[in-house]
Amino acid sequence: MATVLMCRRWPRLSRVTALSTTAKRKAERGGSKSKKEKRDKPGAAKSGTESGATIQLLKPQDYRVLYNPAAYAKGRAGSQQHVGRDSGQALGDTFTSPGTAQTFPAASSSQALPPIRNALPKPSSTLLEQTILATLYKEEAEKEKREVHNSKEDPRMFQKGRPEYRSLSCDSAEPAEILPAEEGDSILQSVAGCDGSPGILRDYFLKLSRLPAERRAALVADPRFGALCHRAVTALRLFSTPDLIHILKACVPLAVPASHSLLNACETEFCRRAWDMSLEQLLLVADCWRCLDRSVPSYLGILFSYANLHWKELTLPQFVQLLYIIGEGRRSPADLVQKMESTILKHLDAFTLEELGAICLGLFKSLTDISDHVMRRIADRVCLQMEDMSTYALVNVLKMLRYTRMDHLPLMRELGKVIPARIPATNIQGIMHIALTYSSLHFFDEDVLAAIATLLPSKVSYCRSKDAAKFLWSFGCLDYEPANEEEFYSSLIKQLHAKLHEFSKFPEHLLTALLGLAFVKRFPEELIDFALREEFVQKTKGSKYNLDKDLFTLGKSVEIECPTYQGSRLPPQLCQEFTEMALSFAEKEIYVRPEIVEATSLLESVLGGPEYVKNHMILPHTRSSDLEVRLSADGRPIPFNFKDPVAAKNLKDMGVSLTDDLMSQLIHGRAHSQSPVEVGDKARIPRQERGDAAGAPCLGGGARSQAEPKAGLWQPREVRLALQVSNRNHFCYGSRRLLGLHCLKRRQLRLLGYQVVEVPFWEWFPLLKRTRSEKLSYLHYKVFCPALLTKAG
């Protein structure tokens, strides 16, 4: 009943499969799971609970929740990696009972908490009721605390682990000794009459920075404070460097605006003095600029040049602090990359786990390309101590692992053991990065994905547009529909509607979300109509990403899979441009791949000539090629390709040499990758092999003519084959589970009347090293399989 009601909220949500099919899949999934013993995972708790009450929390429409990495609680309390960390953030403290914690919807902001306060018992309520409501309020407050993110403070947790960071960083915490508010007035009154000496001005700033927070907040607008700043600017060159640093540090608790004239003058003066300062002072000043949220590219350029000259003098804390500054500045100095790599390897065993996470975050934010060797060494260290690592630091390592495309199997296996239990205590952005790591590395782990899917509907209100999009993309990319799929997808689609205003600024997020949904046969028509409107298409042109391919894939998929769709569509001229762009790329990069060229040539021999096979993209929007073959109902090849076949002609001219090294790369990928048989024991058989959509009806002539505009009329009882010469990048890592885009392609080929024939890489690539007769025999069987002709008849 819950599923039916959920669907009724979205009357225009097109779904290729019916609810009965969904129910059948759930039954099949349940049956298969009972055959093997699954380990316990807190994230896999049932969505239904035994609670008898539901509390609805208010959510202001304009509230935007970010994340709180400090709340990525770890499994063990008391680890040395958590020096200075609030023990209340430990997993056991934040979730006293999984059933209770997941019963109530997550609050969206601190402003959402009053409804619980208002629900406190009246005088007549029993003590038990009071206790229950007080407990619920505490749990909701803890949830709220975990979802609040301070982008300045949270990445600085590593600084709590060593006392050396005190001299390298600006502590923005409340001062130990608070001065009375009246003393602030006394100081400001005396500014006009003071002699303006550097020592007195410095003391004024230091004392004002120790006022109560509410008094400090009003200082910037006070004309007397402006006069003090003016005096400081006038005397700036008279200050010693330590005194000038004290003034800059005082500006942090005083919350001086980044554009303030005092800071302008300070930046100029520090740039002038930089070469006479110590590395410790340079790093401290850089940290102050970060706390003040001021962009100082000139100063950072000097800092990096200085560090380059004095690299051998860097201590371990100075190196980590420097990498933190590099990350926060979003700038990677090219001349430092090699030195950074050698220093990481030098201190690898001495770094704390939090420092290792900070290093990875700095590299990730600055888009620093480090070598596979260094990333593998970092992953090796993390793999051995993952249980002792905070989830925040671990997620930072995963970001860099994702950026370098590192397929580190031991780390991913260990992650699958550690992370499901941490999902309930991890905030939404941390969970998003975990899901995105799995999809980016094409690594399928059902336990992790199930834990995420179980928790997500209760926390979906915390999702930004980016978070919702990445979740949908990740699950769609891995072609995974969880046990609570209707609740999971409905909640995320609802959040997309709520965040619709954000997509004008970030159009890439909407396309990411809609493609992820399309992979699993879900087409929310209102959102699709919005994405294909001319205004939105124009906004995609201003994105820093090239979104043409995504628009093309979405638009053509809707044409093929949603025959009743009446909304906006891509203009034919734009589709033609995208098609030509895709075909141009394919001719240079896809058609000429050795495994495809070889298959094309051999099929010509099997069938009788180049006119019987065509190497092309039947569906250009799916970005991969097909070998098309046509057979009559009685199994005779039908000639249809009367143009010069690109791949067949190129075979003799290319001189492709199938060396042992090339074959090893084709079969295994990188030298350190393991074979599919070693890793694929947990992988699910691809959807089309289970029979889903195998008998899908062919759409009308309109959709077919758009998908293949130059094809002639279908001949009676003609069999059209689309041979898929796949490679390892079409599947989840080390498995035979097709990725979402390739599931979508095969589904659409069937809808257009094609019989999809797999020529999988684990069969075809080893054959490339065998005799010609063996390869001909294999392809002959693939084309003339009796089952294909039986279906056609």
Side-chain angles (χ1 to χ4, degrees):
M1 179 62 72
T3 301
V4 174
L5 291 175
M6 188 71 71
C7 292
R8 286 177 181 171
R9 295 178 186 175
W10 303 100
R12 296 189 64 195
L13 175 63
S14 295
R15 182 82 196 277
V16 175
T17 52
L19 287 178
S20 58
T21 307
T22 303
K24 180 179 179 182
R25 264 206 315 274
K26 288 182 178 178
E28 291 173 351
R29 186 185 296 115
S32 63
K33 285 184 179 179
S34 64
K35 296 178 183 179
K36 64 177 181 178
E37 192 70 21
K38 308 261 309 167
R39 67 172 174 268
D40 295 336
K41 49 184 183 295
K46 295 181 180 179
S47 58
T49 65
E50 298 179 1
S51 173
T54 300
I55 297 178
Q56 296 292 335
L57 302 179
L58 299 180
K59 180 176 186 300
Q61 291 297 319
D62 59 345
Y63 187 79
R64 181 176 180 183
V65 179
L66 297 179
Y67 76 118
N68 177 18
Y72 293 2
K74 60 190 288 298
R76 298 180 185 176
S79 167
Q80 292 180 356
Q81 302 298 331
H82 275 74
V83 177
R85 187 180 292 269
D86 183 1
S87 60
Q89 294 170 352
L91 180 61
D93 295 331
T94 53
F95 273 81
T96 54
S97 167
T100 308
Q102 296 181 23
T103 299
F104 299 93
S108 299
S109 73
S110 57
Q111 298 170 6
L113 298 177
I116 298 183
R117 294 194 191 98
N118 294 340
L120 290 175
K122 298 177 181 179
S124 60
S125 301
T126 65
L127 180 61
L128 177 60
E129 290 172 337
Q130 295 178 27
T131 303
I132 291 173
L133 287 171
T135 301
L136 293 177
Y137 173 72
K138 181 180 179 181
E139 289 178 353
E140 291 301 332
E142 286 296 328
K143 278 186 182 181
E144 184 65 32
K145 181 180 178 181
R146 284 196 302 274
E147 297 297 335
V148 176
H149 170 51
N150 186 327
S151 61
K152 294 179 186 175
E153 290 301 317
D154 293 326
R156 302 159 63 85
M157 293 301 297
F158 72 93
Q159 295 173 350
K160 309 293 183 182
R162 296 182 193 267
E164 293 91 333
Y165 288 112
R166 294 172 189 168
S167 62
L168 302 174
S169 59
C170 177
D171 186 3
S172 59
E174 284 294 316
E177 182 184 355
I178 302 293
L179 297 180
E182 298 77 20
E183 189 162 342
D185 290 324
S186 174
I187 292 171
L188 295 175
Q189 290 289 355
S190 60
V191 168
C194 76
D195 60 8
S197 65
I200 292 177
L201 294 177
R202 176 204 61 201
D203 290 343
Y204 282 173
F205 276 98
L206 291 177
K207 289 179 180 179
L208 291 174
S209 70
R210 290 162 51 196
L211 292 173
E214 62 275 7
R215 183 69 186 94
R216 295 199 307 267
L219 277 180
V220 175
D222 194 316
R224 296 172 298 176
F225 180 74
L228 175 63
C229 292
H230 179 72
R231 282 212 163 199
V233 169
T234 303
L236 211 57
R237 293 206 173 188
L238 301 178
F239 286 95
S240 67
T241 297
D243 284 348
L244 194 58
I245 292 175
H246 279 305
I247 289 179
L248 187 64
K249 287 181 68 176
C251 288
V252 175
L254 289 171
V256 176
S259 59
H260 198 280
S261 59
L262 174 61
L263 299 186
N264 294 339
C266 283
E267 181 184 354
T268 301
E269 185 63 19
F270 277 120
C271 286
R272 189 182 69 84
R273 298 186 186 196
W275 291 103
D276 297 321
M277 295 165 61
S278 68
L279 186 57
E280 183 178 272
Q281 290 175 326
L282 289 170
L283 289 170
L284 174 57
V285 170
D287 199 67
C288 290
W289 291 130
R290 172 58 191 142
C291 293
L292 289 164
D293 204 21
R294 181 180 172 93
S295 177
V296 286
S298 297
Y299 179 84
L300 292 182
I302 297 173
L303 168 63
F304 299 152
S305 297
Y306 188 103
N308 193 26
L309 289 175
H310 298 82
W311 193 264
K312 293 182 179 179
E313 302 170 19
L314 260 68
T315 64
L316 185 152
Q318 287 175 344
F319 171 72
V320 178
Q321 182 70 14
L322 177 63
L323 264 180
Y324 162 74
I325 295 298
I326 288 173
E328 295 306 304
R330 303 300 198 275
R331 176 183 170 189
S332 177
D335 54 344
L336 293 183
V337 173
Q338 188 173 354
K339 293 181 177 180
M340 287 192 290
E341 289 192 354
S342 61
T343 306
I344 290 172
L345 295 178
K346 175 184 175 182
H347 296 297
L348 186 60
D349 294 330
F351 292 128
T352 67
L353 294 175
E354 294 303 311
E355 286 173 331
L356 210 54
I359 288 170
C360 286
L361 183 61
L363 295 172
F364 176 78
K365 284 185 173 182
S366 60
L367 303 179
T368 302
D369 293 312
I370 62 171
S371 66
D372 287 354
H373 173 67
V374 173
M375 191 64 235
R376 186 162 296 280
R377 289 288 305 278
I378 293 174
D380 289 341
R381 164 87 194 276
V382 170
C383 187
L384 294 175
Q385 296 181 276
M386 190 178 295
E387 289 189 357
D388 297 322
M389 197 171 195
S390 73
T391 307
Y392 177 58
L394 179 56
V395 166
N396 289 337
V397 174
L398 295 183
K399 290 177 182 178
M400 199 58 197
L401 199 73
R402 187 175 85 220
Y403 179 70
T404 57
R405 307 293 294 178
M406 175 63 65
D407 51 342
H408 194 284
L409 186 58
L411 184 143
M412 297 304 293
R413 282 178 168 166
E414 187 66 19
L415 189 67
K417 299 175 185 177
V418 170
I419 211 66
R422 297 192 185 189
I423 293 295
T426 305
N427 61 27
I428 207 69
Q429 271 199 348
I431 298 173
M432 180 272 287
H433 281 295
I434 292 168
L436 191 56
T437 297
Y438 277 88
S439 65
S440 296
L441 299 179
H442 297 171
F443 200 94
F444 179 79
D445 188 314
E446 187 167 7
D447 290 343
V448 174
L449 296 177
I452 293 172
T454 300
L455 184 70
L456 191 61
S458 66
K459 302 181 75 169
V460 75
S461 61
Y462 294 111
C463 286
R464 303 164 302 167
S465 58
K466 177 180 179 179
D467 300 324
K470 298 300 186 184
F471 279 124
L472 290 170
W473 170 264
S474 297
F475 278 65
C477 177
L478 296 173
D479 187 38
Y480 178 65
E481 295 189 78
N484 64 332
E485 59 182 287
E486 295 303 333
E487 180 189 18
F488 175 82
Y489 283 110
S490 295
S491 64
L492 283 170
I493 291 171
K494 183 178 180 181
Q495 188 67 2
L496 292 180
H497 280 269
K499 298 293 182 179
L500 203 60
H501 61 283
E502 294 183 14
F503 295 129
S504 294
K505 186 175 181 181
F506 305 106
E508 62 273 10
H509 297 334
L510 180 57
L511 293 179
T512 295
L514 293 177
L515 284 179
L517 287 165
F519 292 161
V520 291
K521 299 182 288 186
R522 293 175 183 268
F523 297 89
E525 296 188 1
E526 293 89 347
L527 293 174
I528 292 171
D529 175 63
F530 182 85
L532 297 182
R533 291 176 190 170
E534 183 179 356
E535 315 90 84
F536 186 84
V537 172
Q538 288 303 315
K539 288 186 182 296
T540 65
K541 305 301 181 184
S543 172
K544 61 181 179 179
Y545 305 98
N546 185 348
L547 302 178
D548 292 348
K549 292 187 296 184
D550 295 343
L551 276 171
F552 189 34
T553 301
L554 177 64
K556 300 305 288 187
S557 294
V558 170
E559 286 185 15
I560 295 172
E561 300 205 51
C562 303
T564 61
Y565 173 74
Q566 299 296 319
S568 303
R569 296 182 185 273
L570 291 177
Q573 181 181 356
L574 200 58
C575 288
Q576 184 61 31
E577 291 177 12
F578 292 161
T579 299
E580 291 173 359
M581 187 168 53
L583 294 177
S584 175
F585 172 80
E587 289 177 359
K588 298 175 183 176
E589 302 290 339
I590 300 178
Y591 299 155
V592 296
R593 289 176 181 168
E595 69 274 17
I596 296 177
V597 170
E598 181 83 351
T600 305
S601 175
L602 291 168
L603 277 172
E604 290 174 2
S605 298
V606 169
L607 299 172
E611 64 271 19
Y612 291 96
V613 58
K614 186 175 184 180
N615 176 12
H616 68 135
M617 289 195 293
I618 299 173
L619 303 175
H621 65 278
T622 59
R623 313 168 199 173
S624 57
S625 69
D626 314 90
L627 298 182
E628 183 175 353
V629 173
R630 300 182 186 179
L631 304 175
S632 62
D634 58 1
R636 288 181 294 103
I638 300 174
F640 69 99
N641 183 25
F642 299 108
K643 294 182 180 180
D644 290 339
V646 176
K649 290 292 183 185
N650 284 344
L651 178 65
K652 298 182 180 64
D653 299 331
M654 283 176 55
V656 177
S657 178
L658 295 176
T659 63
D660 289 343
D661 182 62
L662 175 58
M663 290 309 307
S664 177
Q665 292 181 44
L666 289 172
I667 296 170
H668 301 295
R670 300 181 183 181
H672 52 257
S673 300
Q674 299 193 19
S675 68
V677 177
E678 295 178 69
V679 199
D681 50 345
K682 286 187 68 178
R684 189 184 65 179
I685 300 300
R687 176 176 292 158
Q688 70 278 9
E689 294 184 22
R690 300 200 315 267
D692 285 17
C698 179
L699 293 184
R704 183 180 301 125
S705 64
Q706 291 168 354
E708 190 184 17
K710 295 183 181 180
L713 295 174
W714 293 84
Q715 297 180 13
R717 298 164 64 89
E718 178 183 82
V719 181
R720 291 197 174 190
L721 307 182
L723 281 78
Q724 307 297 302
V725 183
S726 63
N727 63 59
R728 64 192 293 269
N729 291 326
H730 295 176
F731 297 84
C732 292
Y733 179 84
S735 78
R736 301 181 181 184
R737 181 191 185 92
L738 270 176
L739 295 172
L741 176 62
H742 301 285
C743 288
L744 173 143
K745 174 187 176 178
R746 286 152 175 74
R747 186 172 72 236
Q748 293 179 5
L749 285 171
R750 291 190 179 96
L751 286 171
L752 293 175
Y754 285 87
Q755 296 291 339
V756 176
V757 178
E758 289 289 344
V759 183
F761 73 94
W762 58 85
E763 293 176 356
W764 181 238
F765 286 179
L767 271 174
L768 291 176
K769 297 169 66 176
R770 308 295 289 271
T771 65
R772 177 178 173 83
S773 61
E774 287 177 291
K775 290 180 278 191
L776 290 173
S777 176
Y778 174 83
L779 291 174
H780 186 279
Y781 174 77
K782 285 289 184 180
V783 171
F784 296 105
C785 177
L788 296 175
L789 298 177
T790 302
K791 288 181 181 179

